Amino acid sequence: MEPILSRNTSRIYLDHAATTPMRPEAVAAVMEGMTRWANPSSPHAEGRAARAALEDARNRIAKALDWPHHVILTSGASESAALALRGRPGVGVASVEHDAILRAAESPVMLPVDDDGRIGTANLPAVIAVQSANSETGVLPGMPKHTATDVWIADCAQTAGKLALPEADLVIVSAHKLGGPPGIGALLVRDLGLLDPTGGQERGYRGGTENLPAALGFAAALEAPRDWFAAIADLRATLDTAILAGGGEIVAHHAPRISTIASYRMPGISSAAQLIRLDMAGFAVSAGSACSSGSMRPSHVLAAMGYSPDVAAEVVRVSFGWTTTPDDVARFAEAWTRIARDVKRAA
């Protein structure tokens, strides 16, 4: 079965941090779930069968993520963040966090970062919310030891299914970032006493009919082979070398970064112009997080890292996934170098 974003030889998809194509195993699981779907909260036989399937999917998700505690299924990372942060004023939030965290945090304590986008681990507030990998730059910001805080909320939307989960109290996960369907995610909870129940479904911690087909797809995506991830580091390193050779710059080049995300600056041409030219050449990339790049407003992540508005406006994000091939990277490097060369000649 072909992925939803099918392989088109005239197009190369390098925006996996925004969303990655669904794994064929996940597509099959969703379709199978839709053929026998019933409301898992209904008391009749069909509802009880749906409930059993939902709980099985929940257990499979926990096992695949090596999470021995509670799993609350949500509509995605944004809702998981809202649940985790609800009723917690004064949470320590890094200035480079995802918009979903910044929106959900009530009166946050903003934590500065260094030029590489990494936070310090001293004198942290009692409750912190930190991305395990920055969604724009790929930087691994430096996770604190659990003893440094009372409650540690980890946004693992970009790393779940790729890197081991941190030993946090609350972990945010999104299915569509790892080959599952959109519209479902999870909040992994070490202790349910950390949350206030609000009634409804999911053991009383969220409302709304449970999405059984998506839960089945989520579980199937996590159980799919992950051997592709080991090869991505070499592909990203190849592209890094080509970008530097072409006169480009790598954001946070020397910082630890997840291999699936990189941000590159092409001096002399705006990110908007780059996106247009690359799109016309058959490449799908972005300028920062998908939740904010549609507005093309300046990146708060790069600003927090000390980039001037003019320099930040020349950065694009390239992100890799399970469908990325060496040929994809080679063709992108060639196109990027050609555009950069044209800009230099015009100048």
Side-chain angles (χ1 to χ4, degrees):
M1 182 180 296
E2 287 293 313
I4 290 198
L5 292 177
S6 61
R7 296 296 299 166
N8 182 334
T9 55
S10 66
R11 299 286 303 175
I12 292 177
Y13 186 78
L14 293 172
D15 196 21
H16 292 265
T19 195
T20 201
M22 282 182 67
R23 298 281 314 198
E25 300 92 336
V27 174
V30 170
M31 293 178 66
E32 191 275 333
M34 294 180 73
T35 62
R36 62 183 181 89
W37 184 86
N39 192 320
S41 295
S42 297
H44 45 62
E46 290 82 358
R48 295 195 303 274
R51 169 61 61 182
L54 181 72
E55 295 308 316
D56 180 64
R58 190 193 311 276
N59 291 334
R60 290 162 57 199
I61 290 166
K63 181 179 179 180
L65 291 171
D66 195 23
W67 181 257
H69 310 292
H70 308 283
V71 176
I72 296 176
L73 297 175
T74 67
S75 62
S78 293
E79 185 191 357
S80 294
L83 285 176
L85 290 164
R86 185 174 58 207
R88 301 184 192 279
V91 173
V93 176
S95 52
V96 294
E97 289 304 309
H98 191 278
D99 280 353
I101 297 292
L102 298 177
R103 285 193 299 265
E106 179 184 346
S107 303
V109 175
M110 302 306 296
L111 306 176
V113 297
D114 62 19
D115 292 347
D116 285 331
R118 309 193 82 205
I119 64 171
T121 57
N123 301 317
L124 294 172
V127 182
I128 62 167
V130 181
Q131 273 184 308
S132 56
N134 188 270
S135 57
E136 290 191 28
T137 65
V139 168
L140 304 172
M143 305 300 278
K145 293 182 179 179
H146 196 273
T147 54
T149 63
D150 293 335
V151 179
W152 174 9
I153 303 167
D155 178 1
C156 295
Q158 295 293 348
T159 60
K162 305 177 184 78
L163 303 178
L165 295 179
E167 295 182 2
D169 298 290
L170 298 163
V171 178
I172 296 164
V173 181
S174 177
H176 76 100
K177 305 289 190 182
L178 49 81
I184 189 165
L187 180 63
L188 312 182
V189 184
R190 186 176 296 275
D191 180 355
L192 288 174
L194 293 169
L195 301 177
D196 293 326
T198 58
Q201 286 74 26
E202 287 302 296
R203 305 177 189 182
Y205 290 94
R206 75 177 294 263
T209 300
E210 297 97 335
N211 190 343
L212 173 59
L216 294 172
F218 191 179
L222 281 168
E223 293 168 344
R226 304 185 201 178
D227 51 354
W228 62 269
F229 182 72
I232 293 297
D234 289 339
L235 296 184
R236 211 272 309 276
T238 296
L239 183 55
D240 284 357
T241 300
I243 294 294
L244 293 174
E249 299 176 10
I250 302 171
V251 174
H253 184 194
H254 300 294
R257 295 175 290 151
I258 190 171
S259 58
T260 50
I261 302 175
S263 284
Y264 302 114
R265 179 192 174 208
M266 185 186 293
I269 181 169
S270 70
S271 57
Q274 291 179 59
L275 293 184
I276 291 171
R277 295 185 66 165
L278 288 166
D279 190 41
M280 292 177 63
F283 300 94
V285 296
S286 67
S289 168
C291 295
S292 60
S293 63
S295 66
M296 295 305 293
R297 67 178 185 266
S299 167
H300 73 279
V301 172
L302 298 179
M305 294 170 63
Y307 284 75
S308 70
D310 290 344
V311 171
E314 296 174 341
V315 174
V316 300
R317 180 186 69 180
V318 181
S319 49
F320 312 86
W322 68 276
T323 62
T324 305
T325 67
D327 183 62
D328 292 342
V329 173
R331 289 171 60 185
F332 179 82
E334 179 182 2
W336 193 98
T337 302
R338 182 173 62 252
I339 294 170
R341 185 171 58 243
D342 291 346
V343 171
K344 290 180 181 179
R345 287 175 177 171

